[in-house]
Amino acid sequence: METGPIRKRMKRVEVPGGLRFVTFSCERRLPLLGNPAIRDLFADRLAAMRKRFGCELFAWVVMPEHVHLILRPTENDPLDRVLEFLKKAVARRVIARWRELDAPILQKISRPDGSPRFWQKGGGFDRNIRHEGEFAREVRYIHRNPVERELVDHPREWAWSSARWWLGESPVLVECDAVPWTDAEQRELYV
């Protein structure tokens, strides 16, 4: 009997019109998103993804080595297609720049064939959000992620998340979509 790495295989089950909580990480969980300019690029591509595919975006955060999103893809463009667009757009631009700079990080993220991998292999983690309480818990988790990691003292201080949008503050890097059941006056509860 062969023993090798055990690889989890999860089948993605999308509920049409359903909300999705998504997490994906950088290769080997390295802080490839540690540079503010790279996080800005990610936010720019996130906004482009939202516009191009018409998916609704409800909450997001870019951490140094991973990303969390809550979104609702359209029936015409399933989650894997939307995420492929986003992840490839970021990876191509960042890796091209690192090649120009002959950045040492390229050696750390290169596969045996020499090609670099920006994002960890696989689709990441995602699941359906089934009810309002679960939605509220996940939005708060996303916004508090930088605080829990001690990157900032309050979620509003981390520019690369939807916390400022939820608080009605400016500037915001990416606009979000309003959730039908959330009272605008109570949005601060989600931060």
Side-chain angles (χ1 to χ4, degrees):
M1 182 168 135
E2 282 185 45
T3 58
I6 297 172
R7 205 172 279 221
K8 288 192 334 185
R9 296 199 184 264
M10 276 182 48
K11 182 173 167 61
R12 178 170 282 141
V13 179
E14 288 190 54
V15 174
L19 299 178
R20 306 291 294 190
F21 176 80
V22 179
T23 300
F24 50 93
S25 300
C26 297
E27 177 67 8
R28 295 188 297 136
R29 292 209 33 108
L30 292 167
L32 304 181
L33 298 163
N35 183 308
I38 296 173
R39 290 192 300 267
D40 285 345
L41 169 66
F42 184 92
D44 178 69
R45 297 295 78 209
L46 181 62
M49 175 209 73
R50 184 172 169 253
K51 183 176 180 180
R52 177 175 178 170
F53 292 98
C55 59
E56 293 175 281
L57 178 66
F58 300 103
W60 62 279
V61 67
V62 182
M63 298 295 289
E65 70 291 314
H66 70 279
V67 172
H68 296 295
L69 307 171
I70 295 178
L71 56 102
R72 181 183 354 237
T74 66
E75 289 187 36
N76 295 334
D77 294 304
L79 185 62
D80 57 348
R81 184 170 174 203
V82 170
L83 294 180
E84 179 182 26
F85 169 84
L86 175 62
K87 292 164 79 173
K88 279 186 177 181
V90 172
R92 284 181 181 147
R93 289 186 184 194
V94 173
I95 289 171
R97 180 66 178 141
W98 285 344
R99 284 184 171 139
E100 288 174 11
L101 299 171
D102 195 24
I105 190 67
L106 288 170
Q107 293 175 359
K108 289 185 179 182
I109 64 170
S110 289
R111 294 178 260 187
D113 68 1
S115 62
R117 179 186 298 279
F118 190 91
W119 299 107
Q120 198 167 47
K121 189 174 181 175
F125 169 82
D126 75 279
R127 64 182 178 75
N128 295 305
I129 294 179
R130 297 174 299 274
H131 53 78
E132 183 179 357
E134 187 177 7
F135 174 81
R137 183 179 65 244
E138 299 300 3
V139 171
R140 187 166 169 74
Y141 171 81
I142 286 171
H143 292 152
R144 299 221 34 94
N145 216 235
V147 176
E148 295 298 320
R149 289 280 302 280
E150 299 181 350
L151 298 172
V152 293
D153 292 327
H154 189 278
R156 73 170 36 98
E157 297 168 4
W158 188 252
W160 304 278
S161 89
S162 53
R164 289 182 186 164
W165 181 88
W166 277 85
L167 292 169
E169 297 178 359
S170 294
V172 296
L173 295 175
V174 181
E175 294 286 330
C176 288
D177 292 285
V179 179
W181 60 73
T182 304
D183 184 346
E185 295 169 2
Q186 294 185 351
R187 287 188 357 196
E188 72 276 355
L189 299 175
Y190 291 82
V191 179

